[in-house]
Amino acid sequence: MQVDLPDVLAEVTAQFARYEKALVSNDVAVLDELFHDDPRTLRYGGGENLYGYREIRAFRAGRPAVGLMRRIERTVITTYGRDMAVASTLFYRDTAPGKAGRQMQTWVRFPQGWRIVAAHVSVIDEPRDQKA
């Protein structure tokens, strides 16, 4: 298996950037598009466990559109072959000093394009040895 093929890595990186832009601007249509429409798609969030595209979509529709700005650091995107990737990043919000957010996404290429099939978001106290 080939890891980090340049063209595949560029594709996933672009979709990750598209997701990030949609997240901070609350572009629900793009966020919905980027999750795979399937009952097996899941998202473990900071305060919710969402099973299936419908639950994820309902969460996005009901989520407040304020306080979404953040900065991301240490983003690592790794592709496996031509059709699978994992994206991981740390994020920080000015509204949550001393906290570090962690986000991981599993991306799969489908006929309609790259989609997230699993995501995890959590927030922890910022490790003392890794202050941003």
Side-chain angles (χ1 to χ4, degrees), residues 12-90:
V12 177
T13 300
Q15 290 306 305
F16 179 84
R18 188 170 172 235
Y19 177 90
E20 185 64 23
K21 180 179 177 185
L23 182 70
V24 299
S25 64
N26 201 40
D27 188 338
V28 175
V30 171
L31 294 170
D32 286 347
E33 173 194 330
L34 291 177
F35 273 85
H36 182 52
D37 187 351
D38 189 277
R40 294 166 292 196
T41 298
L42 61 89
R43 178 186 179 275
Y44 293 150
E48 66 285 332
N49 298 317
L50 305 172
Y51 289 85
Y53 178 80
R54 288 183 186 162
E55 288 185 14
I56 296 167
R57 188 172 178 196
F59 168 79
R60 293 274 183 228
R63 181 176 148 169
V66 296
L68 300 176
M69 289 307 298
R70 66 189 197 166
R71 71 183 184 284
I72 60 174
E73 295 180 4
R74 302 192 71 179
T75 301
V76 176
I77 298 172
T78 307
T79 65
Y80 300 92
R82 302 201 70 78
D83 298 317
M84 189 202 168
V86 175
S88 307
T89 196
L90 298 176

